Each structure stands twice: as C-alpha cells, then as structure tokens.
Amino acid sequence: MALLSLRGIGMRYGAVQALTGIDLDVTEGEVLALCGDNGAGKSSLVKILSGAQAPSEGSMALDGDATRFRGPQDALRRGVATIYQDLAVAPRLSIWQNVFLGSELTRPPFGLLDKRRMAEASRGYLARLAVDIAEMDTPVERLSGGQRQAVAICRALRWDARIIIMDEPTAALGVKETAQVLDLIRRLHAEGRTVILVSHAMGDVVAVAQRVVVLKGGRKVADRPVATPDGALRAEELAQLIIRGAA
C-alpha cells in the first residue's frame, strides 16, 4: 500500500487548468523528485499536498484512507510537513525558538517556557542530522544556508512528519552548502522518512532521489526510477526528459 496516493487530481484557477488527471503513488521511505519547467504544475501540486489548497477534482488517500487536508496545520498534524524555498524561519529568533515555534514546551505549574528542554531537544534533532551547532541560542540569521535548512527540517522532525516536502532546497546555495543539504536529505531517507523533492537542479535530483516524476503542462508525463538495470539516470538525460515530456 502506498503511503500517499493521488487519483485524478485537477486544479483550476478560473479559466486556467493548472493540473489535469494527476495519478501518483508515494511509497513510504522513498525520496521522490518532482520536476518540470516553470508553469508545469509543480507549485499547484505542492499546494495540494501541503494542504494550502484543495484540489478542484480528484481524490487523495493517506495510508489507504481517503483524506482532504483542511489547511497546512491539518496536513502537519497528519504527518505532512512542507519546507518552502524561503524556509519560513524567523531570522532573529534562536534555533530552539524556531524549532518549537507554535508548539512550545512549558513547565508546570505556571506554564513558563521550558527553554532548557527545548534547547536540548533541538540539539538532539540536529545531532540526528549530523549538524553540529554548539549554541542553541544562536539567531537563525547568523547560520549558513545549509544550517538554516537543517533548522527547518528539525521543525518537521519535531512534528514527527512522515512526509517532508522540500521546495527547491538548494536554490541560491553554494557548492558546499548544497552538499550539506543533499546530505540532510540522505539522512532523512536513512531514518525512513519520505521526502518529496521539488527541484530544477538535475544533478541534485539524480544524486539523492530514487524516483523522478516529471510534469509538463499540468500533466504527469514521466514516472521512472533513477536507478535502472541499464544504469543510473544521468542529469543530462533527465533534462532531456523534461524538455521532451515523454515517458
């Protein structure tokens, strides 16, 4: 049974048909890449998966049960976390404040914030990702791009998300920081988390994904594994697949 299944998903914005007849099964523990040119429908599909928008047509099932998210918080409570390109972090707040933003821990009997427990937990989440930051009071604005991605991922781990959607996580990052983010994705995969990676960086996709789904003109035009008996899919081949739009 697929962890997440989409059947006949469509999305209309007035007279514009952004998605048509999208069928997709996402397997637990896989890294699935979602690719396509600008306007292919990736953003619309991510909005549906994240609970930001309801589809105009079609159905979605989680663990085999029909579902429709009432909003992003509902999706998060159901185990689906989305990390957008801007990360949605509060730059001036500390690491632990960002990790526990909206779900702070308190101490009885007066409900005071339990800073020590949140800082320790945040350090533990970062350790699971092999990210070493000594001071949890460090404002996020002082961190590197790769470290900020790690903090955003820790927030998803805080909610024990089973599916983590990452929207262009390496955009505008340098070579070193990109390598750090790809390693974070590998560690999520090693933990058994499901990652849906939205990316224009073909080299990043073939480096970490097990499967690639290509959208073109709002339709799914390709769905294939990265590794095949004939060898691994190369970045150049994936780029041509996106251009041709052929399965």
Side-chain angles (χ1 to χ4, degrees):
M1 182 188 300
L3 173 59
L4 178 67
S5 293
L6 308 181
R7 291 292 179 267
I9 291 293
M11 173 60 74
R12 291 187 302 274
Y13 301 98
V16 177
Q17 187 78 28
L19 293 173
T20 303
I22 301 295
D23 292 340
L24 179 63
D25 288 326
V26 182
T27 305
E28 187 163 14
E30 76 171 329
V31 179
L32 170 68
L34 188 61
C35 300
D37 286 331
N38 291 333
K42 302 187 304 298
S43 295
S44 294
L45 188 55
V46 167
K47 288 176 182 177
I48 292 170
L49 294 174
S50 68
Q53 288 185 337
S56 303
E57 55 195 24
S59 61
M60 181 164 56
L62 190 62
D63 285 323
D65 296 326
T67 187
R68 180 167 291 204
F69 300 135
R70 295 186 299 272
Q73 282 299 117
D74 185 34
L76 191 56
R77 284 190 293 268
R78 301 285 300 277
V80 181
T82 303
I83 302 173
Y84 291 101
Q85 186 174 336
D86 62 5
L87 301 181
V89 294
R92 296 186 181 181
L93 296 184
S94 68
I95 292 171
W96 66 265
Q97 287 173 316
N98 270 279
V99 172
F100 283 86
L101 193 62
S103 61
E104 291 82 2
L105 302 179
T106 58
R107 300 194 309 266
F110 302 112
L112 299 176
L113 289 179
D114 196 337
K115 172 186 170 182
R116 177 178 297 179
R117 192 151 60 104
M118 287 187 282
E120 290 176 352
S122 298
R123 187 175 290 107
Y125 293 135
L126 287 170
R128 285 165 57 179
L129 299 172
V131 176
D132 184 18
I133 304 176
E135 183 50 64
M136 293 299 101
D137 280 322
T138 303
V140 167
E141 64 185 357
R142 296 183 187 174
L143 302 179
S144 69
Q147 290 172 328
R148 292 186 189 195
Q149 277 284 351
V151 171
I153 291 172
C154 285
R155 189 157 57 197
L157 294 178
R158 154 67 181 157
W159 285 94
D160 198 26
R162 298 171 63 192
I163 301 173
I164 300 176
I165 303 168
M166 303 183 72
D167 185 16
E168 299 289 353
T170 60
L173 296 184
V175 174
K176 181 179 179 180
E177 291 182 335
T178 294
Q180 291 174 340
V181 172
L182 296 181
D183 190 53
L184 293 174
I185 295 172
R186 293 186 184 99
R187 291 186 178 278
L188 288 172
H189 175 58
E191 274 202 4
R193 310 278 171 181
T194 301
V195 178
I196 299 177
L197 171 65
V198 183
S199 180
H200 283 95
M202 301 300 95
D204 296 350
V205 168
V206 299
V208 296
Q210 282 78 55
R211 186 160 60 101
V212 178
V213 167
V214 178
L215 300 182
K216 191 176 185 69
R219 297 178 182 272
K220 187 178 80 169
V221 296
D223 186 340
R224 58 167 292 180
V226 171
T228 69
D230 297 326
L233 179 68
R234 294 183 293 112
E236 296 82 1
E237 293 173 324
L238 178 55
Q240 286 300 313
L241 189 61
I242 291 171
I243 293 170
R244 295 195 312 267

